[in-house]
C-alpha cells in the first residue's frame, strides 16, 4: 500500500518565493529602536554604514516594507541548494506511537550544513554590489562561518572568520572546510584585536563566546579599508533573509492541505526561528489563525526563559549599538556546552518583542535530553542532526508525546536547521556517557545582570 | 531572466523506480561464473548461504531476470532520502566557459553521505527477513560502514564493521557516526581474527586494505551463529540495488529532453559506476544508443587501467570464491591514498566483463589533480565532494574542457557519489600543499600479479 502523502515535499523552482517577508511590517508595536550607547539616541541607517554594507543597514532599519524582492542573482544561487524539503517524519511518529503528524523543514542539505547560507549569500551579494573588498564575521558552531566562506568564495571576497575558541578546538574539521573555501579562520578571543587582548588578559583560559567573537570581527572591519562586518543571526536583516524557510514551509504545507498547530524552532540568536515562524506569526499578528509558536533554547544559555528584557550590547566588547532584547548580560560566558550555535547572551530584538508581547512561548532543555532526542531521530529518520537543531527535535518529541497522552492528532512543524557531521566530539561524549548538563545558577545570572547598561 | 531548465530536478515519489534493473540480463556474454578455489567448479547460490543471506545469494547468481521488484518496505525507506536530485552544473559550466551541458546525480544527501545506503537498506532488509541476528562488513572510507550502520539500526540488527586502518586513523569522526548508530567498529587488520593476526605478523605497520578487511569480516561471519557477511561493492547484487541511481538519472534526463553523450563515474569496486551506467549501458548492449561510458580510478590503485583480467580472490586472506575481474592481485596493498573508498585491488566482475568487451573506457587520475577539481567544484556548486566522487568530477571537467576546444555542446552526466565532510584531513593536506601522488611501479604490479591463483 503506497502512501498518498509524500515523505519529502519539494516545491518546484517556479513555486519558490521571489520575495522575502519582513515580519516587522505586520507588528503593531515595533521592536524598540537600536540606541547609540554614548548618546542613547536611536541609531539611523547611516550611522551603521561604517560597520555594515549600506543596503543591509537599510534593511536593518526597514520596519515598513512587507515584502522585499530577492535579487535575481540570489534567487539563482538559492536554486543550487533550495528549495529545501519539507519532510513528514513517518518513522519518528511510528516510533513514538503518537497520533500527531510531525513535519520538519530540513535546511541541512548544503555544504554549510545549515540554513545559514540563506543569509550569507544575500550579505555577500550586497557587499559585492557595493564594491567592498573584504568582510569579517564571527562563528560559533562554525555553520555560519562555513556558509559565509562559501558565499564569499562565490564572489571572490576575502573573509576573516573569528571562531569561538571552544568550537575551534572541538571542531578542527570545520576550520578546514572554511579554509578550503578560502577563508582565514582565527580562534577567538585572539591577540589580533584590542578587545581580544583585553579579554585574554582577564581570563587567558576562556573558551570564548559569540559576543566576544563579534567584538573582534567588528574591530577588524572598522579598522580595515573597504571592509565591513556581517552577522549570521540576531539582526533584523538576517531574519528577513531567513523568512524563505517559513515561506517555503507554509506553501508546502498548503499543498498538503495542512496548517501547523505548533511551530517549533531552536533559538540561539533567532535566525532560524525567526525565519521559520515568519508567515505563521503573520497569521497570528493579523488575527487570522493562532498556532502555538515555541522557541527552544539550551538550559546552559537561557536568554528567553531566564534573561531580562532590557537594552544591552550585542557583543562582549561593548562596541555595538544597544538593542532591546532578552539578554543574560553581554558579559555572560556560557559554559562550553556543545551546541555552539546557541551560546549567545542575547536574542533577536524582533523575537524578543514578540515573546514579550505574548505571541510566542519558550522552553529550555538540557543537553543530555537533547542528544537522546537526536539519536532517536537519527535512527528513525536517517539524518544525523546538529546539536542545535536537536533542541527543536526534543521539544517536537515532547509535544508529540503529549498528543499521545491526550489523543489529539495535532500537526507539528519544526525546523531541522542542520546536520551534525562536525559535532562528532559531542556525540562521542553522549555515546560514552561523559556528557554533563550545565545550568547557570541564579547568582551567576544576577551578577551578570548588574552589568547591563543604564538606559 | 529566469532559466527554463531547473538547477535541480527531483522526480516525484510516484515517478520513482519500483524495480531494480539487472544489467546481466541484457549482456549477450555473461560475466564468468565465480569459482570454488579448491575445486575450481562454478559456485552455486547454495554454496554461498553460509556467508550471504539466501535472497542475496540468489540475486548474486541471477543472470536472467531483467527487472526485480523492490520490496515495498525498501521503497518506503528509499522515500526518506530519495529521489536524489539530478543537478545541472550551471556555475561550473560558466567557470569552465564550456559549451558542454554538465549534469550530476548527487547521492550525498543522507547521513551516510553517499549512495551506499541504496544497497545497505536492501541487504539489511533481506537479512532481517531471513531471521538473521547479526551482520559483519568492512568499510574503506567509512561511507559503506555508516550506511550499513544506519540500515542495521533501523532493523535493530547488531553490526560489526572492520574499518581499513588508515581510514580509521584519518577519520576518527566516521567511527563515532557508526557508533552513534550502534555499530561496533574495529580497525583492520585486527588481532580478533586469524587472517588479521597473520597480516599483522607479516607487516605490523600496514594501513590495511579493503581486501584484508573483507577477509576479517567474512571470518567473523562464518564463525558466528546467525551471522552473515554483507559487502557494499563489487558484487552483482550491489550493482543491482544501485541501479536505482541510473534509473532515476535517465528518467530525470528524459524529462529534460536530454540524453548523455558521456557518462562518468568513479570506480573503486564499481557499485556507484555500475548503478549509474546501468540503463545507459542497456541502450548500448541493445544497440539503441551508444553513449561513451568512462570509469575513473585513482592512479594509486589502477585496476582497470593497469590490472589484468583474471580469476582472483576478492579478499586478501583468500577465503572468498574466485571471481574473474580486472585485478591488481589480492595481495596488492595500495598506498594510503586519501580516497579510501577506491583502494580495492579488484573490480566488479560485471564491469570488468563490459570493459573487457569494449563497452566502456577507463582513465586513472592522480589525487592532487582530483582535489584541484574538488575545490573548484565546491566553490562553484556549493557542495564539498568526497575525494572518491571528485575523481568523476576531474574527468567531467576534462571532458568539458575538450568540448571547449572542439566547440561541441556535449551532454555530460557524472555521478557525485557523496560528500567530503569526513575527509577534511585529506582536504587539509591539499590546502597546505603537503599532498603527494602515489603511483605503483611496474615492478610492484608485476610482483603482485605473480601471486594470482592458477586457474
Amino acid at each position: 500500500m503506497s502512501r498518498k502523502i509524500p515523505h519529502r515535499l519539494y516545491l518546484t523552482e517556479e513555486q519558490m518565493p521571489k520575495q522575502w517577508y519582513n515580519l516587522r511590517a505586520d507588528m503593531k508595536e515595533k521592536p524598540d529602536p537600536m540606541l547609540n550607547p554614548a548618546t542613547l539616541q536611536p541609531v539611523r541607517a547611516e550611522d551603521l554604514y561604517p560597520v555594515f554594507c549600506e543596503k543591509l543597514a537599510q534593511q536593518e532599519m526597514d520596519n515598513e516594507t512587507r515584502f522585499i524582492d530577492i535579487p535575481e542573482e540570489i534567487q539563482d544561487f538559492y536554486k543550487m541548494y533550495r528549495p529545501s524539503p519539507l519532510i513528514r517524519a513517518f518513522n519518528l511518529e511510528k516510533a513514538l506511537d503518537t497520533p500527531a503528524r510531525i513535519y520538519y523543514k530540513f535546511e541541512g542539505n548544503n555544504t554549510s550544513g545549515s540554513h545559514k547560507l540563506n543569509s550569507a549569500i544575500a550579505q555577500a551579494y550586497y557587499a559585492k554590489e557595493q564594491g567592498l573588498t573584504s568582510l569579517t564575521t564571527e562563528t560559533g558552531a562554525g555553520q555560519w562561518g562555513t556558509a559565509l566562506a562559501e558565499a564569499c568564495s562565490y564572489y571572490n571576497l576575502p573573509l576573516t572568520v573569528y571562531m569561538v575558541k571552544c568550537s575551534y578546538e572541538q571542531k578542527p574539521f570545520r576550520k578546514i572546510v572554511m579554509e578550503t573555501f578560502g577563508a582565514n579562520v582565527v580562534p577567538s578571543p585572539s591577540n589580533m584585536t584590542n578587545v581580544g587582548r583585553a579579554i585574554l588578559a582577564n581570563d587567558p583560559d576562556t573558551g570564548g563566546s559569540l559576543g566576544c567573537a563579534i567584538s573582534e570581527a567588528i574591530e577588524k572591519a572598522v579598522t580595515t579599508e573597504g571592509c565591513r562586518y556581517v552577522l549570521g543571526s540576531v539582526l533584523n536583516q538576517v531574519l528577513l533573509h531567513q523568512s524563505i524557510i517559513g515561506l517555503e514551509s507554509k506553501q508546502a504545507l498548503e499543498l498538503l492541505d495542512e496548517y501547523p498547530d505548533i511551530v517549533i524552532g531552536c533559538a540561539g540568536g533567532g535566525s532560524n526561528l525567526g525565519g521559520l515562524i515568519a508567515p505563521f506569526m503573520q497569521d497570528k499578528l493579523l488575527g487570522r489563525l493562532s498556532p502555538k509558536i515555541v522557541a527552544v533554547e539550551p538550559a546552559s544559555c537561557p536568554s528567553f526563559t531566564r534573561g531580562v528584557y532590557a537594552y544591552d550590547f550585542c557583543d562582549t566588547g561593548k562596541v555595538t549599538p544597544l538593542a532591546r532584547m532578552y539578554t543574560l548580560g553581554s558579559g555572560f560566558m556560557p559554559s562550553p556546552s556543545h551546541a555552539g550555535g546557541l551560546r549567545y547572551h542575547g536574542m533577536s530584538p524582533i523575537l524578543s518583542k514578540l515573546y514579550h508581547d505574548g505571541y510566542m512561548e519558550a522552553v529550555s532543555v538540557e543537553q543530555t535530553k537533547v542528544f537522546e532526542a537526536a539519536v532517536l531521530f537519527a535512527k528513525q529518520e536517517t539524518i544525523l542532526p546538529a546539536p542545535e537543531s536537536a533542541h527543536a527535535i526534543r521539544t517536537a518529541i515532547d509535544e508529540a508525546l503529549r498528543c499521545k497522552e491526550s489523543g489529539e492528532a495535532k500537526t507539528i512543524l519544526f525546523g531541522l536547521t542542520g546536520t551534525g557531521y562536525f559535532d562528532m566530539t559531542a556525540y562521542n561524549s553522549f555515546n560514552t556517557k561523559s556528557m554533563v548538563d550545565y545550568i547557570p545558577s541564579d547568582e551567576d545570572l544576577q551578577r551578570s545582570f548588574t552589568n547591563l547598561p543604564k538606559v
Side-chain angles (χ1 to χ4, degrees), chain A residues 351-363:
Chain A
L351 296 179
S352 292
K353 176 68 177 162
L354 290 166
Y355 178 66
H356 196 65
D357 291 350
Y359 286 102
M360 52 186 284
E361 304 172 21
V363 294

Side-chain angles (χ1 to χ4, degrees), chain A residues 175-188:
Chain A
K175 165 181 162 279
I176 304 171
V177 180
M178 290 184 260
E179 288 172 347
T180 299
F181 284 97
N184 174 29
V185 186
V186 179
S188 167

Side-chain angles (χ1 to χ4, degrees), chain A residues 240-436:
Chain A
L240 174 71
H241 307 149
Q242 294 295 358
S243 67
I244 193 162
I245 304 173
L247 293 166
E248 281 186 11
S249 301
K250 194 178 177 201
Q251 200 176 342
L253 285 169
E254 278 166 7
L255 294 174
L256 299 171
D257 223 2
E258 285 273 27
Y259 191 89
D261 298 298
I262 311 173
V263 183
I264 299 166
C266 64
S271 71
N272 149 68
L273 181 68
L276 175 69
I277 69 174
F280 305 105
M281 185 58 84
Q282 182 186 32
D283 290 337
K284 211 158 173 170
L285 290 167
L286 301 180
R288 297 194 289 224
L289 283 160
S290 58
K292 175 173 167 179
I293 294 177
V294 187
V296 191
E297 56 186 17
S300 59
C301 195
S303 32
F304 269 138
T305 50
R306 297 177 66 201
V308 290
Y309 187 48
Y311 268 106
D312 197 4
F313 290 96
C314 300
D315 66 327
T316 309
K318 303 189 177 182
V319 301
T320 64
L322 302 177
R324 192 166 178 212
M325 58 183 176
Y326 278 85
T327 178
L328 298 167
S330 66
F332 180 77
M333 276 282 172
S335 335
S337 152
H338 293 290
L342 305 180
R343 300 175 68 246
Y344 181 64
H345 69 274
M347 183 55 65
S348 145
I350 296 175
L351 296 179
S352 292
K353 176 68 177 162
L354 290 166
Y355 178 66
H356 196 65
D357 291 350
Y359 286 102
M360 52 186 284
E361 304 172 21
V363 294
S364 79
V365 288
E366 294 170 18
Q367 71 170 346
T368 49
K369 294 281 177 202
V370 165
F371 275 84
E372 266 173 31
V375 172
L376 172 63
F377 179 84
K379 289 183 174 179
Q380 294 303 321
E381 296 288 320
T382 79
I383 297 171
L384 189 78
E388 292 82 0
S389 322
H391 285 70
I393 297 173
R394 174 74 267 168
T395 298
I397 288 176
D398 291 342
E399 291 283 357
L401 291 175
R402 248 171 251 137
C403 286
K404 183 181 175 179
E405 255 176 56
S406 68
E408 288 170 287
K410 287 187 180 168
T411 300
I412 298 172
L413 168 67
F414 73 89
L416 187 73
T417 52
T419 53
Y421 304 131
F422 294 96
D423 299 284
M424 297 323 297
T425 307
Y427 273 96
N428 196 44
S429 84
F430 177 75
N431 294 343
T432 56
K433 302 198 193 326
S434 55
M435 178 174 277
V436 285

